[in-house]
Amino acid sequence: MFYSAYSWVRYTILMTLSQELSWRGLVNQTTYKDISSLDGDPITFYWGVDPSSDSMTIGNLAAAMMVKSFMRHGHKAVLLIGGATGLIGDPDGKSSERDLKSLEEVEHNKQAIINQYKQIFEGQNFDVVDNYDWFKDMNYLDFLRDTGKHVPMRQMLSRDFVQTRLSENGAGISYAEFSYVLIQAYDFLHLYEQNSVTLQVCGSDQWGNSIAGVDLIRRKTGGEANVYSVPLVVNKSTGVKFGKSEDGAIWLDANKTSAYKFYQFWLNVDDESVESYLKIFTELSQDDIQAIMQQFTDNRGERAAQRALAFEATKLVHGQESADAVKLISEVLSGGEDPHEFGAREFDILEKEFPTAQVPREMNPENIVNALVDTNLASSKSEARHFLASGAVYINKVKMPESYRFDSDSNRAVIKRGKNSYAVLKIV
C-alpha cells in the first residue's frame, strides 16, 4: 500500500539528519560507527508496530517522530504492520504469557494503526506492508531449514526476558513466544531481500529483536544491515518512563484518549521536561523552540512552552480543527477567553468531557440549584444553595444571580462552580 498527501508545507531543513537527531535528543543505540552515515545517500528503512491494540500510544509517537525526521531528509520509509507478530505477541518485558488475539481482532487493530500512520505521516511518501502477507502461506519445514538453521540457540537463550521467564521464580515461556524474535528477524530479512531495506529504526525496547535481524541477514546473505533506536523518553523530574496519566496510557485514538484529554496531558507536563518534549514530539524548528523557551523563561506562569507543545502535538495526532477547538476550550476554561466564542464543535467536545443538565431558558433559583446537583457540581440542594449564595457559581463567566435568562440564540452554556469545576447546560 502506498500513501501520499497532496497538501503539505515543506519542512525547512536547516540541519543534516544526524545533527537534527542529536539536537532533538533522538540518539540512542545504533550499529552505525558514526551516525553521520545517515547524512549520505537515501536509505530504505523500516519501522514496525504490532497491532496488540487498536491504537498506538505516545510511546510509539516518540519513535514515529524519529521516523518523520528520516523521511524529511529524503530516506524512503517502509512502515510495517505486524499482522503475523501480533498473533503471537512480543514477550520482551512481559512477566507472563500474553492472551492470544483472534484473527478478527488483529485485523481490526491493523486497520486502526494504518489510519494512524496516515494521520501522523500526512504529507510524506511511504509504503505500508503487513508481515502476515509473507507468513500466512509459509511452509513450516521450509522456514526451519531456510531461516531457523541460521539462528543460534545461544543467541535466543541469552535474551534477558528469556532468562527471567525460565528462572526458578519465572512464569515460563511457550515455544510460540520464544520464537517471536525469530519471526521479527525474518521480517528484516524479507524486507532486505524484497524491498531493499537496509535499516530498521525502532524504540529502545526493540533493540534485541532488531539486532537478531541484522545477524540473520549477515549469516544468510553475507549482506550488511543496520539498526537505529530512539531512546526511552523519561520524565526528568521523576526519572520514570514518560507516557501515562492518572487514567493510564495516553493513546493516539480519540476514542481511548480524547483530543481534549490529550491536549490537557501535554499542557500539564513539568517545566523541567517541556523543552525536550518540544524537540521530540513536535516538528517546530530550532529557532521556533528557542523563541518559545525564551518566552517561557521570561514568564513561567504563562506556560508558553506547555501551550505550544499541547497545540502542536494535538494538531499532529488529531488534526488542525480538533487542536483549534481544544485550545479554545482550554483558554476559556482557564479564564482567558469568553465562552460565547464556543461553537457547536467546542460544545460537542465539552459534552463528552463534563456532566450536562437540561435547563429552561429563563432560570429561577430552584432551576439553578437543580442544575448544580444534576451535574454533580454540588452534592445536595443545600450545598448548591450555599454555593449560589456565596457567589461561587458562574454561567459563561458571569457570577450567577438568583435568576438568569439566556439569550434567544443560545442553546448551550458553561456553568462553573469554584475555580475548576465545570459542566454544560443544555437550554430547552
Side-chain angles (χ1 to χ4, degrees):
M1 290 173 280
F2 177 77
Y3 298 103
S4 178
Y6 297 100
S7 59
W8 183 57
V9 177
R10 176 63 61 183
Y11 184 91
T12 302
I13 298 176
L14 301 176
M15 297 181 276
T16 65
L17 176 56
S18 64
Q19 289 170 337
E20 181 177 350
L21 292 171
S22 297
W23 171 70
R24 291 191 182 276
L26 296 174
V27 177
N28 194 47
Q29 290 175 289
T30 181
T31 54
Y32 288 113
K33 292 181 180 179
D34 188 332
I35 65 169
S36 63
S37 300
L38 298 170
D39 301 331
D41 295 334
I43 299 167
T44 302
F45 71 96
Y46 95 95
W47 176 59
V49 174
D50 272 354
S52 53
S53 173
D54 57 0
S55 176
M56 292 187 281
T57 68
I58 60 172
N60 301 116
L61 183 60
M65 298 307 288
M66 173 184 65
V67 169
K68 291 196 81 172
S69 293
F70 276 78
M71 290 176 168
R72 286 196 302 268
H73 287 266
H75 298 304
K76 178 176 173 54
V78 176
L79 304 183
L80 182 143
I81 187 76
T85 38
L87 290 169
I88 305 300
D90 187 355
D92 201 351
K94 303 297 179 183
S95 60
S96 59
E97 290 280 321
R98 290 173 176 263
D99 293 329
L100 295 177
K101 297 186 181 299
S102 67
L103 278 169
E104 292 75 18
E105 186 176 3
V106 169
E107 182 61 32
H108 167 77
N109 292 351
K110 285 195 304 186
Q111 294 307 312
I113 298 297
I114 289 171
N115 288 336
Q116 290 183 347
Y117 281 164
K118 293 163 69 175
Q119 170 66 36
I120 293 169
F121 299 112
E122 182 181 6
Q124 303 285 2
N125 296 332
F126 57 91
D127 294 324
V128 173
V129 297
D130 180 356
N131 60 10
Y132 184 71
D133 291 339
W134 54 82
F135 274 111
K136 62 182 178 182
D137 297 321
M138 185 175 290
N139 181 284
Y140 181 62
L141 290 177
D142 289 342
F143 182 68
L144 289 179
R145 286 176 59 87
D146 298 339
T147 302
K149 191 70 174 176
H150 298 278
V151 180
M153 280 296 295
R154 178 179 295 178
Q155 180 189 79
M156 298 179 71
L157 286 169
S158 66
R159 298 291 300 278
D160 288 343
F161 75 88
V162 174
Q163 293 293 315
T164 300
R165 296 273 284 272
L166 292 179
S167 67
E168 183 177 349
N169 297 320
I173 187 169
S174 68
Y175 179 73
E177 288 200 358
F178 178 74
S179 301
Y180 181 93
V181 63
L182 179 58
I183 297 172
Q184 185 169 322
Y186 182 82
D187 286 342
F188 201 169
L189 173 65
H190 177 87
L191 294 173
Y192 176 86
E193 294 180 328
Q194 302 299 319
N195 297 70
S196 301
V197 168
T198 59
L199 170 66
Q200 180 179 2
V201 298
C202 63
S204 60
D205 60 332
Q206 289 296 307
W207 176 257
N209 290 341
S210 303
I211 287 295
V214 170
D215 188 63
L216 179 59
I217 290 169
R218 179 183 58 80
R219 289 174 179 272
K220 187 169 182 184
T221 72
E224 180 182 346
N226 287 285
V227 178
Y228 186 97
S229 68
V230 66
L232 179 70
V233 181
V234 174
N235 184 315
K236 291 184 178 181
S237 64
T238 64
V240 302
K241 182 179 177 181
F242 173 74
K244 291 189 177 182
S245 69
E246 292 180 359
D247 298 325
I250 304 300
W251 302 92
L252 306 191
D253 188 325
N255 294 317
K256 298 170 86 72
T257 300
S258 69
Y260 175 79
K261 286 187 173 67
F262 191 82
Y263 185 94
Q264 293 300 311
F265 171 80
W266 298 107
L267 195 62
N268 289 303
V269 300
D270 63 285
D271 290 353
E272 187 178 354
S273 303
V274 67
E275 182 175 6
S276 65
Y277 298 158
L278 278 167
K279 293 176 181 179
I280 294 171
F281 294 103
T282 80
E283 293 182 279
L284 294 172
S285 69
Q286 188 174 23
D287 288 345
D288 287 339
I289 291 177
Q290 286 176 346
I292 290 166
M293 291 308 301
Q294 184 60 57
Q295 184 180 354
F296 172 74
T297 301
D298 291 343
N299 187 346
R300 294 202 171 206
E302 290 185 353
R303 300 181 68 77
Q306 283 89 346
R307 288 189 286 109
L309 172 64
F311 181 76
E312 292 295 329
T314 306
K315 181 175 67 173
L316 175 73
V317 173
H318 295 288
Q320 180 80 46
E321 290 186 357
S322 290
D324 287 338
V326 296
K327 177 175 180 282
L328 176 60
I329 289 171
S330 181
E331 289 173 348
V332 167
L333 297 188
S334 64
E337 298 291 342
D338 191 330
H340 289 97
E341 295 292 324
F342 287 163
R345 187 181 189 90
E346 287 77 21
F347 272 117
D348 288 345
I349 292 172
L350 283 167
E351 284 190 29
K352 294 177 182 177
E353 302 297 334
F354 298 106
T356 63
Q358 292 188 346
V359 296
R361 189 163 299 279
E362 188 163 348
M363 293 200 300
N364 58 38
E366 194 63 21
N367 299 140
I368 301 170
V369 165
N370 289 337
L372 289 169
V373 173
D374 291 345
T375 57
N376 297 318
L377 295 184
S379 60
S380 65
K381 288 188 176 182
S382 60
E383 185 178 53
R385 292 189 183 98
H386 169 71
F387 288 146
L388 189 58
S390 62
V393 181
Y394 294 79
I395 292 183
N396 290 345
K397 295 186 70 174
V398 176
K399 186 179 291 188
M400 192 70 211
E402 290 191 358
S403 61
Y404 190 91
R405 178 176 176 79
F406 291 101
D407 297 337
S408 58
D409 58 348
S410 299
N411 54 28
R412 285 179 285 190
V414 175
I415 185 171
K416 181 177 81 165
R417 190 265 300 164
K419 290 184 177 181
N420 296 304
S421 298
Y422 300 97
V424 176
L425 301 180
K426 302 176 74 173
I427 303 159
V428 295

